[in-house]
Each structure stands twice: as structure tokens, then as C-alpha cells.
Amino acid sequence: MTESGEVRTSASEPIRVLIVDDHELIRRSLALALAAEPDIEVVGEASDGQEAVELANRLMPDIALMDVRMPRQDGIEATKGIKASVPSTRIIMLTVSDEEEDLFEAIKAGATGYLLKDVQINDVPAAVRGVHEGQSLINPAMAAKLITEFQSMSRKESERPPQLPVPRLTDREMEVLRLVAKGMNNREIAKQLFISENTVKNHVRNILDKLQLHSRMEAVVYAVRERMLEIT
């Protein structure tokens, strides 16, 4: 599947998931919860970031559930490594950390989702499906913190000269990007703009192609940095 939600595999194929956490009990709990789902397959487990990158290169998972704090290599660095070598893999950070800095660094590294470990284990399969379908998954409390970070970033970036050239987006693509920055999913954006979800997906895909990026949140970070988008 592409980041915009376009399916790259047949509907009959399960979502391939790599679980990355240094605690075996957490890995086992996640694996059991996901194994019970007929449309999800756990293809591997890693106990640190370095092992995660190695396994991702070999297994090509659709989704990686990634802890932030791990030995040898943390989840942020592992996310960067996986997105560089296997850009089709979408990464959901699953962590106890609700620090704004961790959230922002994870998004900049290429993570598509950020869930706290107090999430109900039964909710994880739905999170995996949502991200696989192209949603950016961040719980409301963390989304508010992310927007605060974007606001701070926007103020800082307004003080430096813009870097040219910047790819030009259409007015409609900018509308979509502004709503992505507010934490809206495809369905909410479609309702707001009175267009179909497929049209939203097409706009997101075009935005990512023009900016040569892999995720919706990366596009927001880029747009704020280059002063294409102002978060107020």
C-alpha cells in the first residue's frame, strides 16, 4: 500500500507486521492479539532498533510496531533506517513516552502513527488496519501536542530566509494539507471539503509525490519548514 492509501497488494493478502520492543512480554502480548486477526500476519519480532532494521530489510513488512526506548538503537533511529531502506513500511510508535520531543522526532523520522502503551491491546489491530489504509494515527492528546510543536516550528522558521525552489502545490492540495496538519483523517477531510475519500487519497498521493516524501506528517513538517503552511 502507498502512503496515500493506494493498495499495492491484493485484498486477500494479510497485513504483514513486524513487532519491535525490548520487552518480551509486550512483544508476546502484541503478537497474540494480532495473530487472532485473519487479515493480519506477524512476520517477525525484534528486541532492539538495529535488529528491527535488519529484519525489515529482509521481511519487507507493511507495518512496524515500534517502541521508542530500546538498547543498541532506539526506535527513532530505527525508524529513520527503515524508511530509508524500506520506504513502503509504515511505522506506528507504541510507547510509554508522551513527551512532545519524542512525538515530533518520531514524525520527522517518518512514523505514521504514535500510540501510548496505555491503549487497550484489543485496539491495536484496528490501529494497524487504519495506518495500512493510509490514516495518520495519533491519539487526540498527542495530536494537540503535535500541533503545538508545529506552531512553535512555524514561528521559528518565519525568522529565516526560505529555501528555494519549493515544489508548488495546487490550492486544493494546500487545503488538504492544512486539514492534515489539524490531525484530520481522510474521512474527516472529505466531509470538510465535500469531496470523496478517494479524491482525498489522490490529493495526498499527489502532495507526497511532489514533495518526494513518504508520509502525511512529513509533508506537514516540510510545508511548515519551507513556509508553505502556517499553523496558527
Side-chain angles (χ1 to χ4, degrees), residues 9 26 47 52 62 108 114 124 130 132 144 146-147 160 168 173 206 228 231:
T9 57
I26 292 175
S47 59
D62 298 307
K108 287 198 294 182
Y114 196 98
V124 174
H132 188 249
L146 184 60
I147 290 171
R160 73 164 181 84
R168 182 171 178 81
E173 287 165 353
N206 290 337
M228 300 166 62
I231 309 295

Side-chain angles (χ1 to χ4, degrees), residues 7 54 77 92 124 132 165 221 224:
V7 177
E54 294 168 357
E77 291 303 313
I92 303 173
V124 174
H132 188 249
V221 171
V224 170

Side-chain angles (χ1 to χ4, degrees), residues 79-98:
T79 296
K80 293 177 183 177
I82 291 174
K83 296 305 290 186
S85 57
V86 194
S88 62
T89 297
R90 296 178 177 182
I91 298 171
I92 303 173
M93 310 305 289
L94 189 60
T95 175
V96 296
S97 174
D98 64 352

Side-chain angles (χ1 to χ4, degrees), residues 177-219:
L177 191 56
R178 289 188 189 96
L179 296 179
V180 169
K182 292 182 178 180
M184 291 188 180
N185 60 32
N186 289 347
R187 184 178 297 105
E188 292 167 336
I189 293 172
K191 184 177 180 180
Q192 178 80 14
L193 298 180
F194 302 101
I195 57 180
S196 71
E197 284 189 59
N198 280 337
T199 300
V200 175
K201 290 178 181 179
N202 288 336
H203 284 313
V204 172
R205 184 182 64 241
N206 290 337
I207 291 168
L208 296 177
D209 286 345
K210 287 182 179 181
L211 301 184
Q212 298 182 22
L213 298 171
H214 301 301
S215 78
R216 298 151 63 100
M217 288 296 100
E218 281 182 286

Side-chain angles (χ1 to χ4, degrees), residues 4 36 84 93 104 123 131 160 174 183 212 227:
S4 62
M93 310 305 289
F104 202 57
D123 293 336
V131 168
R160 73 164 181 84
M174 287 302 302
Q212 298 182 22
R227 283 194 264 172

